[in-house]
């Protein structure tokens, strides 16, 4: 598979009426109610390119959680962004969207095909450097959720790594991508904290650009895009790693005499 572009991932300027996108284009927060939180990736995804978000904030009192998927609809063509991704956006056609759950989104294997992406992990999961989905290799270090530094962060980090927490827990990292199969078609995969949940939709046509869909719905209040690099580390990443290496605590970055955007890059890996 051709090398991915590794471009900076952002949310599209077209989104639901209850969503606010921060100045960096990477944080989406639902500011009212429980619906009208549908967001899109700014650019169509390349084959094998993962659009990954971290759940930053939850809101008690609502039933339902994050929904993700793909759409062949150009967000700019929408006169009104649908109130719900399910069923409203799906009913417009060329959209494949699922509520996030660990056990119920897997498409059945095709005839003669072994089931892939099952929830039991291989023994080398905790030491593997990349997640392999078809011919796509995704660096593992950014895929697994982690707590913010604190008194019990080491315990929480282990819970994220073992997926003992619910898949929609705060700090979980959830992504969507498509993997080409037969000519002109692809399978959609959802990744939860570094675990490939297997194909959840098959036969998706790839003759049209495919945008990621993230519905900041109900109990999920705010999500942030996690940037991935598929090749050598960028200069930005090397700078971030150098700064983080020479501070006692990641929260101390806020007090450094650095440009605001550089602080943002350093605080959110």
């Amino acid at each position: 598979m051709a090398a991915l572009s590794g471009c900076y991932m952002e949310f599209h300027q077209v989104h639901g009426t209850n969503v606010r996108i921060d100045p960096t284009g990477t944080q989406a927060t639902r500011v009212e109610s429980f619906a009208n939180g549908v967001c899109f990736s700014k650019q169509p995804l390349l084959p094998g390119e993962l659009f990954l978000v971290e759940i930053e904030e939850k809101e008690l009192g609502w039933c339902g959680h994050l929904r993700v998927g793909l759409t062949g609809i150009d967000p700019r063509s929408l006169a009104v962004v649908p109130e719900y991704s399910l069923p409203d956006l799906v009913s417009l056609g060329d959209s494949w969207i699922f509520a996030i759950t660990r056990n119920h989104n897997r498409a059945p294997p095709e005839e003669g095909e072994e089931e892939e992406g099952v929830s039991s992990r291989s023994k080398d999961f905790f030491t593997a450097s990349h997640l392999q989905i078809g011919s796509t290799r995704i660096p593992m270090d950014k895929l697994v959720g982690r707590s913010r530094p604190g008194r019990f962060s080491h315990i929480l980090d282990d819970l994220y790594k073992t997926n003992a927490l619910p898949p929609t827990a705060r700090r979980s990292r959830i992504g969507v991508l498509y993997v080409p199969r037969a000519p002109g078609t692809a399978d959609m995969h959802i990744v939860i904290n570094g675990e490939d949940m297997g194909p959840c939709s098959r036969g998706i046509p790839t003759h049209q650009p495919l945008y990621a869909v993230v519905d900041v719905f109900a109990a999920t209040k705010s999500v942030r895009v996690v940037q991935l690099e598929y090749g050598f580390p960028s200069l930005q990443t090397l700078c971030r790693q150098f700064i983080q290496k020479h501070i006692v605590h990641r929260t101390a970055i806020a007090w450094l005499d650095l440009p605001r955007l550089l602080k943002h890059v350093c605080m959110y890996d």
Side-chain angles (χ1 to χ4, degrees):
M1 182 174 293
L4 298 171
S5 66
C7 65
Y8 192 72
M9 292 285 193
E10 300 177 51
F11 286 112
H12 205 285
Q13 67 269 24
V14 175
H15 51 72
T17 56
N18 285 338
V19 167
R20 298 294 179 269
I21 306 295
D22 79 338
T24 69
T26 61
Q27 184 188 50
T29 303
R30 195 187 67 256
V31 295
E32 291 184 35
S33 186
F34 64 94
N36 282 303
V38 177
C39 302
F40 306 93
S41 58
K42 184 175 182 178
Q43 303 292 340
L45 300 185
L46 296 173
E49 188 172 40
L50 183 69
F51 192 82
L52 182 69
V53 297
E54 179 180 287
I55 298 175
E56 287 215 316
E57 191 176 350
K58 304 295 291 289
E59 185 171 30
L60 299 177
W62 300 116
C63 181
H65 300 277
L66 188 72
R67 298 166 172 182
V68 302
L70 297 171
T71 183
I73 300 172
D74 187 332
R76 295 170 297 181
S77 69
L78 293 169
V80 177
V81 176
E83 183 176 9
Y84 304 100
S85 59
L86 285 171
D88 298 1
L89 183 60
V90 171
S91 68
L92 297 179
D94 290 333
S95 298
W96 305 266
I97 299 163
F98 292 87
I100 290 301
T101 173
R102 183 169 289 121
N103 300 313
H104 306 298
N105 289 336
R106 193 172 298 116
E110 295 176 336
E111 185 177 353
E113 177 187 42
E114 293 185 6
E115 187 172 4
E116 53 182 311
V118 294
S119 58
S120 57
R121 297 182 171 196
S122 60
K123 294 181 180 179
D124 64 350
F125 175 84
F126 295 104
T127 58
S129 62
H130 289 74
L131 174 66
Q132 186 85 30
I133 303 178
S135 59
T136 300
R137 283 169 51 84
I138 308 169
M140 183 69 78
D141 63 329
K142 297 288 190 72
L143 298 185
V144 181
R146 64 198 72 178
S147 63
R148 286 289 181 256
R151 184 177 178 185
F152 301 108
S153 61
H154 62 291
I155 298 174
L156 286 172
D157 287 349
D158 286 341
L159 293 177
Y160 287 115
K161 290 177 182 177
T162 57
N163 262 334
L165 294 172
T168 52
R170 190 166 174 264
R171 302 304 174 198
S172 281
R173 294 186 174 184
I174 298 165
V176 62
L177 76 161
Y178 67 94
V179 179
R181 293 295 299 270
T185 66
D187 291 348
M188 183 177 82
H189 288 243
I190 291 174
V191 176
I192 300 175
N193 287 324
E195 183 177 1
D196 172 24
M197 306 315 298
C200 48
S201 283
R202 298 181 184 272
I204 293 175
T206 57
H207 62 273
Q208 58 195 345
L210 293 171
Y211 294 81
V213 178
V214 177
D215 191 352
V216 188
F217 178 70
T220 302
K221 184 173 179 64
S222 182
V223 298
R224 184 179 296 275
V225 178
V226 179
Q227 307 299 331
L228 295 174
E229 294 172 332
Y230 297 85
F232 293 107
S234 66
L235 179 59
Q236 174 178 285
T237 296
L238 294 173
C239 288
R240 183 186 70 240
Q241 291 174 345
F242 180 84
I243 291 171
Q244 290 178 342
K245 182 179 179 181
H246 289 84
I247 59 173
V248 176
H249 200 284
R250 186 163 56 176
T251 55
I253 292 172
W255 301 99
L256 297 178
D257 186 17
L258 296 172
R260 181 176 58 85
L261 287 179
L262 181 55
K263 288 183 182 180
H264 177 274
V265 168
C266 292
M267 293 182 71
Y268 302 103
D269 55 9

